[in-house]
């Protein structure tokens, strides 16, 4: 499903720096000094000046602001000035792209893998050729500078080159998507199977973990102690009655059979992959995961679809 070399820290991970938006600063207001006229002048007895050895050092007064209660009471009470919180996202910025059979999504991630800006979605064009999809991605590129690109693709990917794209177009086979996006964006790019990226966004990294995505087709990803096992395309393996897994629980099968029968089939798939791989956890995502009703096995967890973008940060270490 993917290129295991995508996890190496090679020279393409380095990219020219870009300017970051300036940080906003907010200072607390200082208390205004009292006017000399407002303070009555009094006479005092002369006092002998203290020697330098006896005099304590004179320290500057801390910056203060009047508290609301003190203002209401007419007092000159002082409280520490407010310190502005640091809210500036951290670089480097990663443009995460999720190419699907029905939609193309993108989102900027900051250096900590947190969402920075809005998530954008456009319908997948038909026919879904490489040129048509690249044109949509070009129109979706953000104005905010970014340093690198992570892409989830619904098929087998080896060294950035597409080996299969059953829900897109046959012209994808042997298409170098990594190179095409590097040329388009001018930034280093890494490509992985879409279910693999979703898994990177949710797994615990312990033992055997399995990811199933229910959307246009069926996505599948296997992880062992946090390491992705590439190119296990279970969706197109035989399932039952001459049909593959995807032909049984993909969206076309759901529409044809109805949600009730489709739910039953999904549970049969869950039981079968549990016996084959014995995962500690099975994560279920994708657009049709919400249509899965009823109680699920104890080790099955639903995950949000946004994980298919958030996992993109993990391609860079």
């Amino acid at each position: 499903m993917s290129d295991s070399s995508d996890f190496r820290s090679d020279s393409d991970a380095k990219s020219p720096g870009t300017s970051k938006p300036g940080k906003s600063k907010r200072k607390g207001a200082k208390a205004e000094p009292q006017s000399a006229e407002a303070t009555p002048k009094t006479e005092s007895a002369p006092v002998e000046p203290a020697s330098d050895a006896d005099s304590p050092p004179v320290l500057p007064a801390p910056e203060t602001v009047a508290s609301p209660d003190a203002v209401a009471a007419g007092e000159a009470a002082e409280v520490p000035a407010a310190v502005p919180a640091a809210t500036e996202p951290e670089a480097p910025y990663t443009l995460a792209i999720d190419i699907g059979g029905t939609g193309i999504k993108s989102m900027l991630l900051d250096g900590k893998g947190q969402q920075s800006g809005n998530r954008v979605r456009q319908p997948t064009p038909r026919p879904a050729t490489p040129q048509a999809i690249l044109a949509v991605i070009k129109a979706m590129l953000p104005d905010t500078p970014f340093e690198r690109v992570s892409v989830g693709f619904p098929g087998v990917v080896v060294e950035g080159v597409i080996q299969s794209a059953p829900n897109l177009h046959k012209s994808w086979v042997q298409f170098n998507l990594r190179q095409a996006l590097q040329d388009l964006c001018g930034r280093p790019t890494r490509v992985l199977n879409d279910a693999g990226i979703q898994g990177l966004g949710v797994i615990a990294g312990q033992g055997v973990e399995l990811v199933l995505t229910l959307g246009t087709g069926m996505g599948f990803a296997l992880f062992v102690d946090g390491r992705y096992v590439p190119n296990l395309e279970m969706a197109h393996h035989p399932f039952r009655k001459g049909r593959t897994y995807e032909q049984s629980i993909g969206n076309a099968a759901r529409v044809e059979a109805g949600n009730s029968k489709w739910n039953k089939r999904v549970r049969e798939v869950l039981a079968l992959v549990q016996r084959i791989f014995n995962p500690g956890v099975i994560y279920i995502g994708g657009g049709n995961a919400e249509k899965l009703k009823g109680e699920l096995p104890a080790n099955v967890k639903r995950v949000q679809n946004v994980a298919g973008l958030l996992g993109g940060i993990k391609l860079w270490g």
Side-chain angles (χ1 to χ4, degrees), residues 230-261:
N231 302 331
L232 292 178
E233 194 70 344
M234 283 293 293
H236 305 290
H237 287 209
F239 174 53
R240 67 170 196 173
K241 297 182 179 179
R243 288 189 168 195
T244 64
Y245 286 82
E246 182 162 294
Q247 290 170 339
S248 300
I249 64 171
N251 192 57
R254 184 190 64 81
V255 173
E256 177 189 357
N259 283 337
S260 180
K261 287 185 177 180

Side-chain angles (χ1 to χ4, degrees), residues 5-282:
S5 69
D6 281 346
F7 294 96
R8 293 196 297 265
S9 297
D10 49 31
S11 60
D12 71 0
K14 298 181 181 178
S15 60
T18 57
S19 60
K20 294 198 303 181
K23 296 184 180 179
S24 62
K25 296 183 179 179
R26 180 172 57 84
K27 293 184 178 179
K30 295 184 179 179
E32 293 187 9
Q34 292 183 345
S35 167
E37 296 179 359
T39 307
K41 190 173 181 182
T42 59
E43 296 282 334
S44 60
V47 178
E48 244 181 80
S51 67
D52 288 343
D54 297 333
S55 300
V58 179
L59 300 178
E63 183 180 43
T64 60
V65 295
S67 70
D69 291 341
V71 172
E75 301 171 359
E78 296 179 343
V79 295
V83 179
T87 58
E88 183 72 18
E90 295 186 7
Y93 293 91
T94 302
L95 177 62
I97 301 172
D98 182 8
I99 299 173
T102 57
I104 301 171
K105 299 176 283 291
S106 70
M107 185 170 71
L108 274 178
L109 307 175
D110 68 12
K112 291 184 176 179
Q114 301 299 312
Q115 179 175 347
S116 178
N118 296 325
R119 179 168 56 161
V120 181
R121 185 187 187 281
Q122 291 293 334
T124 301
R126 294 294 171 181
T129 62
Q131 294 72 24
I133 286 181
L134 287 172
V136 171
I137 292 174
K138 182 178 181 180
M140 295 170 67
L141 293 179
D143 294 329
T144 305
F146 54 91
E147 285 75 27
R148 55 201 188 185
V149 182
S150 295
V151 186
F153 186 85
V156 174
V157 184
V158 177
E159 298 287 342
V161 178
I162 307 305
Q163 304 298 315
S164 68
N167 294 307
L168 296 177
H169 192 271
K170 61 182 180 181
S171 59
W172 277 100
V173 177
Q174 295 304 311
F175 182 81
N176 192 331
L177 179 57
R178 179 170 64 185
Q179 187 62 55
L181 281 171
Q182 285 184 168
D183 294 342
L184 176 65
C185 302
R187 295 291 183 267
T189 301
R190 292 181 177 177
V191 186
L192 197 74
N193 173 266
D194 55 353
I197 287 191
Q198 185 156 62
L200 289 173
V202 299
I203 61 169
Q206 298 177 346
V208 178
E209 298 173 278
L210 194 150
V211 178
L212 285 179
T213 60
L214 305 172
T216 305
M218 186 198 92
F220 179 92
L222 184 69
F223 295 83
V224 179
D225 292 330
R227 295 182 64 86
Y228 176 55
V229 181
N231 302 331
L232 292 178
E233 194 70 344
M234 283 293 293
H236 305 290
H237 287 209
F239 174 53
R240 67 170 196 173
K241 297 182 179 179
R243 288 189 168 195
T244 64
Y245 286 82
E246 182 162 294
Q247 290 170 339
S248 300
I249 64 171
N251 192 57
R254 184 190 64 81
V255 173
E256 177 189 357
N259 283 337
S260 180
K261 287 185 177 180
W262 177 82
N263 266 263
K264 183 179 178 181
R265 290 178 186 174
V266 172
R267 281 169 167 74
E268 291 174 359
V269 168
L270 290 172
L272 185 55
V273 297
Q274 180 66 45
R275 291 196 300 271
I276 295 172
F277 298 100
N278 295 296
V281 185
I282 299 176

